[in-house]
Amino acid sequence: LFVDSVYEYDPAKATWTARAPMTTQRGGGAAAVVDGKIYVAGGRPPHGHEFAVYDPRTNTWKRLPDLPTQRNHLMAAALDGKIYVIGGRFEGGFQAEKSDAVEVFDPKTDTWSSRARMLRPRGGLNGIEALGCIHVWGGEGNKEHPKGVYPDHDAYNPRTDTWTRL
C-alpha cells in the first residue's frame, strides 16, 4: 500500500490534523529528524530511491537528491546533523534480497556519501542513535531461523567508520 498522507498529532488535545502530503506515495520508508525537519528516505519500488524533507513550520515538502541505493524497510537515524540510511530490502516482500549499505546525507551540502557496510545485509531492521553511535538490531534475512529474523545487535561508530557486534 502506498500513501502520501501526513498527519500531526497533538497530545494535549488528543487530535490528529492533516498536513501537506508527501511528494510521492510510498510505503516502507524511514524517517529521521535534523534541525526540526523530517527527512524521509526510500520506500517500496518504484519509490525506493526517493528522498524528501518536510518542514513542519511551513508545512512544505522538498525533493532532495535521490538515495544512492534504492531500498525499502530500511532504517534511518540522525547523528551530528546528518541522516544515516542503513540496510533494507531491494524489492517488496519478506524474501527479497537485502542490503548492507550505509549512506549518509549532509543537509548542509545536499550530498550523499557511503560509509562502512553493516556486518550483514538485513531488511526490516530497527535502530536508534545513542551515545554518539548508531545501534541496529533484528532484521530479516536469516535463513537459519524459522521466522527468518536475526537476533543481532550491532553498533556503528561514525568516528572510526566501523561496526561492532554487541
Side-chain angles (χ1 to χ4, degrees):
L1 177 65
F2 301 109
V3 298
D4 60 2
S5 306
V6 176
Y7 292 92
E8 175 183 63
Y9 182 69
D10 182 338
K13 296 178 185 174
T15 59
W16 289 94
T17 303
R19 303 292 285 174
M22 288 190 291
T23 57
T24 56
Q25 293 185 338
R26 60 173 106 187
V33 177
V34 171
D35 294 330
K37 295 180 181 178
I38 303 168
Y39 292 80
V40 178
R44 291 187 67 161
H47 304 291
H49 64 282
E50 294 181 10
F51 187 59
V53 61
Y54 174 71
D55 186 339
R57 291 178 297 264
T58 61
N59 191 33
T60 57
W61 285 90
K62 177 184 173 188
R63 282 286 304 263
L64 295 169
D66 283 349
L67 183 59
T69 307
Q70 74 81 29
R71 53 203 197 269
N72 65 85
H73 292 85
L74 59 160
M75 169 283 153
L79 180 62
D80 296 330
K82 296 179 179 147
I83 296 92
Y84 287 73
V85 179
I86 300 172
R89 301 181 201 152
F90 291 118
E91 299 294 329
F94 180 79
Q95 299 299 328
E97 184 181 353
K98 313 301 183 286
S99 174
D100 59 0
V102 177
E103 293 163 336
V104 181
F105 182 77
D106 185 340
K108 291 180 179 159
T109 62
D110 269 358
T111 58
W112 286 98
S113 59
S114 295
R115 296 295 197 285
R117 293 184 169 277
M118 281 194 300
L119 299 176
R120 74 170 85 232
R122 350 184 211 177
L125 65 162
N126 204 340
I128 191 169
E129 180 279 326
L131 303 174
C133 291
I134 297 174
H135 295 259
V136 299
W137 56 89
E140 309 158 335
N142 188 351
K143 293 182 182 2
E144 297 173 12
H145 188 279
K147 294 190 178 181
V149 295
Y150 288 107
D152 302 2
H153 173 192
D154 300 331
Y156 173 74
N157 183 332
R159 292 169 301 286
T160 60
D161 191 31
T162 58
W163 284 90
T164 304
R165 171 95 4 104
L166 300 173

CSV table of all heavy atoms in Angstrom, one decimal, residues 41-100:
chain,number,residue,atom,x,y,z
A,41,ALA,N,13.3,8.8,3.7
A,41,ALA,CA,14.1,8.1,2.7
A,41,ALA,C,13.5,6.7,2.3
A,41,ALA,O,12.9,6.0,3.1
A,41,ALA,CB,15.5,7.8,3.3
A,42,GLY,N,13.6,6.4,1.0
A,42,GLY,CA,13.3,5.1,0.4
A,42,GLY,C,11.8,4.8,0.4
A,42,GLY,O,11.0,5.7,0.6
A,43,GLY,N,11.5,3.6,0.2
A,43,GLY,CA,10.2,3.0,0.1
A,43,GLY,C,10.1,1.9,-0.9
A,43,GLY,O,11.1,1.6,-1.6
A,44,ARG,N,9.0,1.2,-0.9
A,44,ARG,CA,8.9,0.1,-1.8
A,44,ARG,C,8.9,0.5,-3.2
A,44,ARG,O,8.5,1.7,-3.6
A,44,ARG,CB,7.6,-0.6,-1.5
A,44,ARG,CG,7.7,-1.3,-0.1
A,44,ARG,CD,6.5,-2.2,0.1
A,44,ARG,NE,6.6,-3.3,-0.8
A,44,ARG,CZ,5.9,-4.4,-0.6
A,44,ARG,NH1,5.1,-4.6,0.4
A,44,ARG,NH2,6.0,-5.4,-1.5
A,45,PRO,N,9.4,-0.3,-4.1
A,45,PRO,CA,9.5,0.0,-5.5
A,45,PRO,C,8.1,0.5,-6.0
A,45,PRO,O,7.1,-0.1,-5.6
A,45,PRO,CB,10.0,-1.2,-6.2
A,45,PRO,CG,10.6,-2.1,-5.1
A,45,PRO,CD,9.9,-1.7,-3.9
A,46,PRO,N,8.0,1.5,-6.9
A,46,PRO,CA,9.1,2.1,-7.6
A,46,PRO,C,9.7,3.4,-6.9
A,46,PRO,O,10.3,4.2,-7.6
A,46,PRO,CB,8.4,2.5,-8.9
A,46,PRO,CG,7.0,2.9,-8.5
A,46,PRO,CD,6.7,1.9,-7.4
A,47,HIS,N,9.5,3.6,-5.6
A,47,HIS,CA,9.9,4.8,-4.9
A,47,HIS,C,11.0,4.6,-4.0
A,47,HIS,O,11.3,5.5,-3.1
A,47,HIS,CB,8.7,5.4,-4.2
A,47,HIS,CG,7.5,5.6,-5.0
A,47,HIS,ND1,7.5,6.6,-6.0
A,47,HIS,CD2,6.3,5.0,-5.1
A,47,HIS,CE1,6.3,6.6,-6.6
A,47,HIS,NE2,5.6,5.6,-6.1
A,48,GLY,N,11.8,3.5,-4.1
A,48,GLY,CA,12.9,3.2,-3.2
A,48,GLY,C,14.1,4.1,-3.3
A,48,GLY,O,14.9,4.1,-2.4
A,49,HIS,N,14.2,5.0,-4.3
A,49,HIS,CA,15.3,5.9,-4.4
A,49,HIS,C,14.9,7.3,-3.9
A,49,HIS,O,15.8,8.2,-3.8
A,49,HIS,CB,15.7,6.0,-5.9
A,49,HIS,CG,14.7,6.6,-6.7
A,49,HIS,ND1,13.6,5.8,-7.2
A,49,HIS,CD2,14.5,7.8,-7.2
A,49,HIS,CE1,12.8,6.6,-7.9
A,49,HIS,NE2,13.3,7.8,-7.9
A,50,GLU,N,13.7,7.5,-3.6
A,50,GLU,CA,13.2,8.9,-3.3
A,50,GLU,C,13.6,9.4,-1.9
A,50,GLU,O,13.7,8.6,-1.0
A,50,GLU,CB,11.7,9.0,-3.5
A,50,GLU,CG,11.4,8.8,-5.0
A,50,GLU,CD,10.0,8.9,-5.3
A,50,GLU,OE1,9.2,9.3,-4.5
A,50,GLU,OE2,9.6,8.6,-6.5
A,51,PHE,N,13.9,10.7,-1.8
A,51,PHE,CA,14.3,11.3,-0.6
A,51,PHE,C,13.8,12.7,-0.6
A,51,PHE,O,13.9,13.4,-1.6
A,51,PHE,CB,15.9,11.3,-0.6
A,51,PHE,CG,16.5,11.8,0.7
A,51,PHE,CD1,16.2,11.1,1.9
A,51,PHE,CD2,17.3,12.9,0.8
A,51,PHE,CE1,16.7,11.5,3.1
A,51,PHE,CE2,17.9,13.3,2.0
A,51,PHE,CZ,17.6,12.6,3.2
A,52,ALA,N,13.1,13.1,0.5
A,52,ALA,CA,12.5,14.4,0.7
A,52,ALA,C,12.6,14.8,2.1
A,52,ALA,O,12.8,14.1,3.0
A,52,ALA,CB,11.0,14.3,0.2
A,53,VAL,N,12.3,16.2,2.3
A,53,VAL,CA,12.4,16.8,3.6
A,53,VAL,C,11.1,17.5,3.8
A,53,VAL,O,10.6,18.2,2.9
A,53,VAL,CB,13.6,17.7,3.8
A,53,VAL,CG1,13.6,18.8,2.8
A,53,VAL,CG2,13.7,18.1,5.2
A,54,TYR,N,10.5,17.4,5.0
A,54,TYR,CA,9.3,18.1,5.4
A,54,TYR,C,9.7,19.2,6.5
A,54,TYR,O,10.3,18.8,7.4
A,54,TYR,CB,8.3,17.2,5.9
A,54,TYR,CG,7.0,17.8,6.5
A,54,TYR,CD1,6.1,18.4,5.6
A,54,TYR,CD2,6.8,17.9,7.8
A,54,TYR,CE1,5.0,19.0,6.1
A,54,TYR,CE2,5.6,18.5,8.3
A,54,TYR,CZ,4.7,19.0,7.5
A,54,TYR,OH,3.6,19.7,7.9
A,55,ASP,N,9.2,20.4,6.3
A,55,ASP,CA,9.4,21.4,7.3
A,55,ASP,C,8.0,21.7,7.9
A,55,ASP,O,7.1,22.3,7.3
A,55,ASP,CB,9.9,22.7,6.6
A,55,ASP,CG,10.3,23.8,7.6
A,55,ASP,OD1,9.8,23.8,8.7
A,55,ASP,OD2,11.0,24.7,7.2
A,56,PRO,N,7.9,21.3,9.2
A,56,PRO,CA,6.6,21.5,9.9
A,56,PRO,C,6.2,22.9,10.1
A,56,PRO,O,5.0,23.3,10.2
A,56,PRO,CB,6.8,20.8,11.2
A,56,PRO,CG,8.0,20.0,11.1
A,56,PRO,CD,8.8,20.5,10.0
A,57,ARG,N,7.2,23.8,10.2
A,57,ARG,CA,6.9,25.2,10.4
A,57,ARG,C,6.2,25.8,9.2
A,57,ARG,O,5.3,26.7,9.3
A,57,ARG,CB,8.2,26.0,10.7
A,57,ARG,CG,8.8,25.6,12.0
A,57,ARG,CD,10.1,26.4,12.3
A,57,ARG,NE,11.1,26.0,11.3
A,57,ARG,CZ,12.1,25.1,11.5
A,57,ARG,NH1,12.2,24.5,12.6
A,57,ARG,NH2,12.9,24.9,10.5
A,58,THR,N,6.6,25.4,8.0
A,58,THR,CA,6.0,26.0,6.8
A,58,THR,C,5.0,25.0,6.1
A,58,THR,O,4.3,25.4,5.1
A,58,THR,CB,7.1,26.3,5.7
A,58,THR,OG1,7.8,25.1,5.4
A,58,THR,CG2,8.0,27.4,6.3
A,59,ASN,N,4.9,23.8,6.6
A,59,ASN,CA,4.0,22.7,6.1
A,59,ASN,C,4.3,22.5,4.6
A,59,ASN,O,3.4,22.4,3.8
A,59,ASN,CB,2.5,23.1,6.3
A,59,ASN,CG,1.6,21.9,6.0
A,59,ASN,OD1,1.9,20.8,6.2
A,59,ASN,ND2,0.4,22.2,5.5
A,60,THR,N,5.6,22.4,4.3
A,60,THR,CA,6.0,22.1,2.9
A,60,THR,C,7.0,21.0,2.8
A,60,THR,O,7.8,20.7,3.7
A,60,THR,CB,6.6,23.4,2.3
A,60,THR,OG1,7.8,23.8,3.1
A,60,THR,CG2,5.7,24.6,2.2
A,61,TRP,N,7.0,20.3,1.6
A,61,TRP,CA,7.9,19.3,1.3
A,61,TRP,C,8.9,19.7,0.2
A,61,TRP,O,8.5,20.6,-0.6
A,61,TRP,CB,7.2,18.0,0.8
A,61,TRP,CG,6.5,17.3,1.9
A,61,TRP,CD1,5.2,17.4,2.3
A,61,TRP,CD2,7.1,16.2,2.6
A,61,TRP,NE1,5.0,16.5,3.3
A,61,TRP,CE2,6.1,15.8,3.5
A,61,TRP,CE3,8.3,15.6,2.6
A,61,TRP,CZ2,6.3,14.7,4.4
A,61,TRP,CZ3,8.5,14.5,3.5
A,61,TRP,CH2,7.5,14.1,4.3
A,62,LYS,N,10.1,19.2,0.2
A,62,LYS,CA,11.0,19.5,-0.9
A,62,LYS,C,11.7,18.2,-1.3
A,62,LYS,O,12.2,17.4,-0.4
A,62,LYS,CB,12.1,20.5,-0.4
A,62,LYS,CG,13.1,20.8,-1.4
A,62,LYS,CD,14.2,21.7,-0.8
A,62,LYS,CE,15.3,21.9,-1.7
A,62,LYS,NZ,16.4,22.7,-1.1
A,63,ARG,N,11.7,17.8,-2.6
A,63,ARG,CA,12.5,16.7,-3.0
A,63,ARG,C,14.0,17.0,-2.9
A,63,ARG,O,14.4,18.1,-3.2
A,63,ARG,CB,12.2,16.4,-4.5
A,63,ARG,CG,10.9,15.7,-4.8
A,63,ARG,CD,10.9,14.2,-4.4
A,63,ARG,NE,11.9,13.4,-5.1
A,63,ARG,CZ,11.7,12.6,-6.1
A,63,ARG,NH1,10.6,12.6,-6.8
A,63,ARG,NH2,12.7,11.9,-6.6
A,64,LEU,N,14.8,16.0,-2.5
A,64,LEU,CA,16.2,16.1,-2.4
A,64,LEU,C,16.9,15.1,-3.3
A,64,LEU,O,16.2,14.3,-3.9
A,64,LEU,CB,16.6,15.9,-0.9
A,64,LEU,CG,16.1,16.9,0.1
A,64,LEU,CD1,16.3,16.5,1.5
A,64,LEU,CD2,16.7,18.3,-0.1
A,65,PRO,N,18.2,15.2,-3.4
A,65,PRO,CA,18.9,14.2,-4.3
A,65,PRO,C,18.5,12.8,-3.9
A,65,PRO,O,18.5,12.4,-2.7
A,65,PRO,CB,20.4,14.5,-4.0
A,65,PRO,CG,20.4,15.9,-3.5
A,65,PRO,CD,19.2,16.1,-2.8
A,66,ASP,N,18.3,12.0,-4.9
A,66,ASP,CA,17.9,10.6,-4.7
A,66,ASP,C,18.8,9.8,-3.8
A,66,ASP,O,20.0,10.0,-3.8
A,66,ASP,CB,17.7,9.8,-6.0
A,66,ASP,CG,16.5,10.2,-6.7
A,66,ASP,OD1,15.6,10.9,-6.2
A,66,ASP,OD2,16.4,9.8,-7.9
A,67,LEU,N,18.3,8.9,-3.0
A,67,LEU,CA,19.0,7.9,-2.2
A,67,LEU,C,19.9,7.1,-3.2
A,67,LEU,O,19.4,6.6,-4.2
A,67,LEU,CB,18.0,7.0,-1.5
A,67,LEU,CG,18.5,6.0,-0.5
A,67,LEU,CD1,19.3,6.6,0.6
A,67,LEU,CD2,17.3,5.2,0.0
A,68,PRO,N,21.2,7.0,-3.0
A,68,PRO,CA,22.1,6.3,-3.9
A,68,PRO,C,21.7,4.9,-4.2
A,68,PRO,O,21.8,4.4,-5.3
A,68,PRO,CB,23.5,6.4,-3.3
A,68,PRO,CG,23.4,7.6,-2.5
A,68,PRO,CD,22.0,7.6,-1.9
A,69,THR,N,21.3,4.1,-3.1
A,69,THR,CA,20.9,2.8,-3.3
A,69,THR,C,19.4,2.7,-2.9
A,69,THR,O,19.0,2.8,-1.8
A,69,THR,CB,21.7,1.9,-2.3
A,69,THR,OG1,23.1,2.1,-2.5
A,69,THR,CG2,21.4,0.4,-2.5
A,70,GLN,N,18.6,2.4,-3.9
A,70,GLN,CA,17.1,2.3,-3.7
A,70,GLN,C,16.8,1.1,-2.8
A,70,GLN,O,17.4,0.1,-2.9
A,70,GLN,CB,16.4,2.2,-5.0
A,70,GLN,CG,16.4,0.9,-5.8
A,70,GLN,CD,15.5,-0.1,-5.2
A,70,GLN,OE1,14.4,0.2,-4.7
A,70,GLN,NE2,15.9,-1.4,-5.4
A,71,ARG,N,15.9,1.3,-1.8
A,71,ARG,CA,15.5,0.2,-0.9
A,71,ARG,C,14.4,0.6,-0.1
A,71,ARG,O,14.0,1.8,0.0
A,71,ARG,CB,16.7,-0.2,-0.1
A,71,ARG,CG,17.4,0.8,0.7
A,71,ARG,CD,18.8,0.3,1.0
A,71,ARG,NE,19.5,1.1,2.0
A,71,ARG,CZ,20.3,2.1,1.8
A,71,ARG,NH1,20.5,2.6,0.6
A,71,ARG,NH2,20.9,2.7,2.8
A,72,ASN,N,13.8,-0.4,0.6
A,72,ASN,CA,12.6,-0.2,1.4
A,72,ASN,C,12.8,-1.0,2.7
A,72,ASN,O,13.7,-1.8,2.8
A,72,ASN,CB,11.4,-0.6,0.7
A,72,ASN,CG,11.3,-2.1,0.4
A,72,ASN,OD1,10.9,-2.9,1.2
A,72,ASN,ND2,11.8,-2.5,-0.8
A,73,HIS,N,12.0,-0.8,3.7
A,73,HIS,CA,12.1,-1.4,5.0
A,73,HIS,C,13.5,-1.3,5.5
A,73,HIS,O,14.1,-2.2,6.0
A,73,HIS,CB,11.6,-2.9,5.0
A,73,HIS,CG,10.1,-3.0,4.7
A,73,HIS,ND1,9.6,-2.9,3.5
A,73,HIS,CD2,9.1,-3.0,5.6
A,73,HIS,CE1,8.3,-3.0,3.6
A,73,HIS,NE2,7.9,-3.0,4.8
A,74,LEU,N,14.0,-0.1,5.4
A,74,LEU,CA,15.3,0.3,5.9
A,74,LEU,C,15.2,1.0,7.2
A,74,LEU,O,14.2,1.2,7.8
A,74,LEU,CB,16.0,1.2,4.8
A,74,LEU,CG,15.2,2.5,4.5
A,74,LEU,CD1,16.2,3.5,3.9
A,74,LEU,CD2,14.1,2.3,3.6
A,75,MET,N,16.3,1.5,7.7
A,75,MET,CA,16.4,2.2,9.0
A,75,MET,C,17.1,3.6,8.7
A,75,MET,O,18.0,3.7,7.9
A,75,MET,CB,17.1,1.3,9.9
A,75,MET,CG,17.6,1.7,11.2
A,75,MET,SD,19.1,2.6,11.3
A,75,MET,CE,18.7,3.4,12.8
A,76,ALA,N,16.6,4.6,9.5
A,76,ALA,CA,17.3,5.9,9.4
A,76,ALA,C,17.5,6.5,10.8
A,76,ALA,O,16.7,6.2,11.7
A,76,ALA,CB,16.4,6.9,8.5
A,77,ALA,N,18.6,7.2,10.9
A,77,ALA,CA,18.9,7.9,12.2
A,77,ALA,C,19.6,9.2,11.9
A,77,ALA,O,20.3,9.3,10.9
A,77,ALA,CB,19.7,7.0,13.1
A,78,ALA,N,19.4,10.1,12.8
A,78,ALA,CA,20.1,11.4,12.7
A,78,ALA,C,21.3,11.4,13.7
A,78,ALA,O,21.1,11.0,14.9
A,78,ALA,CB,19.2,12.5,13.0
A,79,LEU,N,22.4,11.9,13.3
A,79,LEU,CA,23.6,11.9,14.1
A,79,LEU,C,24.5,13.1,13.6
A,79,LEU,O,24.9,13.1,12.5
A,79,LEU,CB,24.4,10.6,14.1
A,79,LEU,CG,25.6,10.5,15.0
A,79,LEU,CD1,25.3,10.7,16.4
A,79,LEU,CD2,26.3,9.1,14.8
A,80,ASP,N,24.9,14.0,14.5
A,80,ASP,CA,25.8,15.1,14.2
A,80,ASP,C,25.3,15.9,13.0
A,80,ASP,O,26.1,16.3,12.1
A,80,ASP,CB,27.2,14.6,14.0
A,80,ASP,CG,27.8,14.0,15.2
A,80,ASP,OD1,27.4,14.4,16.4
A,80,ASP,OD2,28.6,13.1,15.1
A,81,GLY,N,24.0,16.1,12.9
A,81,GLY,CA,23.4,16.9,11.8
A,81,GLY,C,23.3,16.2,10.5
A,81,GLY,O,23.0,16.9,9.5
A,82,LYS,N,23.5,14.9,10.5
A,82,LYS,CA,23.5,14.2,9.2
A,82,LYS,C,22.4,13.0,9.3
A,82,LYS,O,22.1,12.6,10.4
A,82,LYS,CB,24.8,13.6,8.8
A,82,LYS,CG,25.8,14.7,8.6
A,82,LYS,CD,27.2,14.2,8.2
A,82,LYS,CE,28.1,15.3,7.9
A,82,LYS,NZ,29.5,15.1,8.3
A,83,ILE,N,22.0,12.5,8.2
A,83,ILE,CA,21.0,11.5,8.2
A,83,ILE,C,21.7,10.2,7.7
A,83,ILE,O,22.3,10.2,6.6
A,83,ILE,CB,19.8,11.8,7.3
A,83,ILE,CG1,19.0,13.0,7.8
A,83,ILE,CG2,18.8,10.6,7.2
A,83,ILE,CD1,19.4,14.3,7.3
A,84,TYR,N,21.7,9.2,8.5
A,84,TYR,CA,22.2,7.9,8.1
A,84,TYR,C,21.1,7.0,7.7
A,84,TYR,O,20.1,6.8,8.4
A,84,TYR,CB,22.9,7.3,9.4
A,84,TYR,CG,24.2,7.9,9.7
A,84,TYR,CD1,24.3,9.2,10.3
A,84,TYR,CD2,25.5,7.3,9.4
A,84,TYR,CE1,25.4,9.9,10.6
A,84,TYR,CE2,26.7,8.0,9.7
A,84,TYR,CZ,26.6,9.2,10.3
A,84,TYR,OH,27.8,9.9,10.6
A,85,VAL,N,21.2,6.4,6.5
A,85,VAL,CA,20.2,5.4,6.0
A,85,VAL,C,20.9,4.1,5.9
A,85,VAL,O,22.0,3.9,5.2
A,85,VAL,CB,19.7,5.9,4.6
A,85,VAL,CG1,18.7,5.0,4.0
A,85,VAL,CG2,19.1,7.3,4.8
A,86,ILE,N,20.3,3.1,6.5
A,86,ILE,CA,21.0,1.8,6.7
A,86,ILE,C,20.2,0.6,6.3
A,86,ILE,O,19.0,0.5,6.7
A,86,ILE,CB,21.4,1.7,8.2
A,86,ILE,CG1,22.4,2.8,8.6
A,86,ILE,CG2,22.1,0.3,8.5
A,86,ILE,CD1,22.7,3.0,10.0
A,87,GLY,N,20.8,-0.4,5.6
A,87,GLY,CA,20.1,-1.6,5.3
A,87,GLY,C,18.9,-1.5,4.4
A,87,GLY,O,18.7,-0.5,3.7
A,88,GLY,N,18.0,-2.5,4.5
A,88,GLY,CA,16.8,-2.5,3.8
A,88,GLY,C,16.7,-3.6,2.7
A,88,GLY,O,17.6,-4.4,2.5
A,89,ARG,N,15.5,-3.7,2.1
A,89,ARG,CA,15.2,-4.7,1.0
A,89,ARG,C,15.3,-4.0,-0.3
A,89,ARG,O,14.9,-2.8,-0.4
A,89,ARG,CB,13.8,-5.3,1.2
A,89,ARG,CG,13.5,-5.9,2.4
A,89,ARG,CD,12.0,-6.4,2.2
A,89,ARG,NE,11.4,-6.7,3.5
A,89,ARG,CZ,10.1,-6.6,3.8
A,89,ARG,NH1,9.3,-6.2,2.8
A,89,ARG,NH2,9.6,-6.8,4.9
A,90,PHE,N,15.7,-4.7,-1.3
A,90,PHE,CA,15.7,-4.1,-2.7
A,90,PHE,C,14.3,-4.2,-3.4
A,90,PHE,O,14.0,-3.3,-4.2
A,90,PHE,CB,16.8,-4.8,-3.6
A,90,PHE,CG,18.2,-4.5,-3.1
A,90,PHE,CD1,19.0,-5.5,-2.7
A,90,PHE,CD2,18.6,-3.2,-3.1
A,90,PHE,CE1,20.3,-5.3,-2.3
A,90,PHE,CE2,19.9,-2.9,-2.7
A,90,PHE,CZ,20.8,-4.0,-2.3
A,91,GLU,N,13.6,-5.2,-3.1
A,91,GLU,CA,12.2,-5.3,-3.7
A,91,GLU,C,11.2,-5.5,-2.6
A,91,GLU,O,11.5,-5.5,-1.4
A,91,GLU,CB,12.2,-6.6,-4.6
A,91,GLU,CG,13.2,-6.5,-5.7
A,91,GLU,CD,12.9,-5.4,-6.8
A,91,GLU,OE1,11.7,-5.1,-6.9
A,91,GLU,OE2,13.8,-4.9,-7.4
A,92,GLY,N,9.9,-5.6,-3.0
A,92,GLY,CA,8.9,-5.8,-2.0
A,92,GLY,C,8.9,-7.3,-1.5
A,92,GLY,O,9.5,-8.1,-2.2
A,93,GLY,N,8.4,-7.5,-0.3
A,93,GLY,CA,8.3,-8.9,0.2
A,93,GLY,C,9.4,-9.3,1.1
A,93,GLY,O,10.6,-8.9,0.9
A,94,PHE,N,9.1,-10.1,2.0
A,94,PHE,CA,10.0,-10.6,3.1
A,94,PHE,C,11.2,-11.4,2.5
A,94,PHE,O,12.3,-11.3,3.1
A,94,PHE,CB,9.2,-11.6,4.0
A,94,PHE,CG,9.9,-12.2,5.1
A,94,PHE,CD1,10.2,-11.4,6.3
A,94,PHE,CD2,10.4,-13.5,5.1
A,94,PHE,CE1,10.9,-12.0,7.3
A,94,PHE,CE2,11.1,-14.0,6.1
A,94,PHE,CZ,11.4,-13.3,7.2
A,95,GLN,N,11.0,-12.1,1.4
A,95,GLN,CA,12.1,-12.9,0.8
A,95,GLN,C,13.0,-12.1,-0.1
A,95,GLN,O,14.0,-12.6,-0.6
A,95,GLN,CB,11.5,-14.1,0.1
A,95,GLN,CG,10.7,-15.0,1.0
A,95,GLN,CD,11.5,-15.6,2.1
A,95,GLN,OE1,12.7,-15.9,1.9
A,95,GLN,NE2,10.9,-15.8,3.2
A,96,ALA,N,12.8,-10.8,-0.3
A,96,ALA,CA,13.6,-10.0,-1.2
A,96,ALA,C,15.0,-9.9,-0.8
A,96,ALA,O,15.3,-10.0,0.4
A,96,ALA,CB,13.0,-8.6,-1.3
A,97,GLU,N,15.9,-9.7,-1.7
A,97,GLU,CA,17.3,-9.5,-1.4
A,97,GLU,C,17.5,-8.3,-0.5
A,97,GLU,O,16.9,-7.3,-0.6
A,97,GLU,CB,18.1,-9.3,-2.7
A,97,GLU,CG,19.6,-9.2,-2.5
A,97,GLU,CD,20.4,-9.0,-3.7
A,97,GLU,OE1,19.8,-9.0,-4.8
A,97,GLU,OE2,21.6,-8.8,-3.6
A,98,LYS,N,18.4,-8.5,0.5
A,98,LYS,CA,18.7,-7.4,1.5
A,98,LYS,C,19.9,-6.6,1.2
A,98,LYS,O,20.8,-7.1,0.5
A,98,LYS,CB,18.8,-8.0,2.9
A,98,LYS,CG,17.7,-9.1,3.3
A,98,LYS,CD,16.3,-8.5,3.2
A,98,LYS,CE,15.3,-9.5,3.7
A,98,LYS,NZ,15.0,-10.6,2.8
A,99,SER,N,20.0,-5.5,1.8
A,99,SER,CA,21.2,-4.6,1.6
A,99,SER,C,22.0,-4.4,2.9
A,99,SER,O,21.4,-4.5,4.0
A,99,SER,CB,20.7,-3.2,1.2
A,99,SER,OG,21.8,-2.3,1.1
A,100,ASP,N,23.3,-4.2,2.8
A,100,ASP,CA,24.1,-3.9,3.9
A,100,ASP,C,24.6,-2.4,3.8
A,100,ASP,O,25.5,-2.0,4.5
A,100,ASP,CB,25.3,-4.9,4.1
A,100,ASP,CG,26.2,-4.9,2.9
A,100,ASP,OD1,25.9,-4.2,1.9
A,100,ASP,OD2,27.1,-5.7,2.9
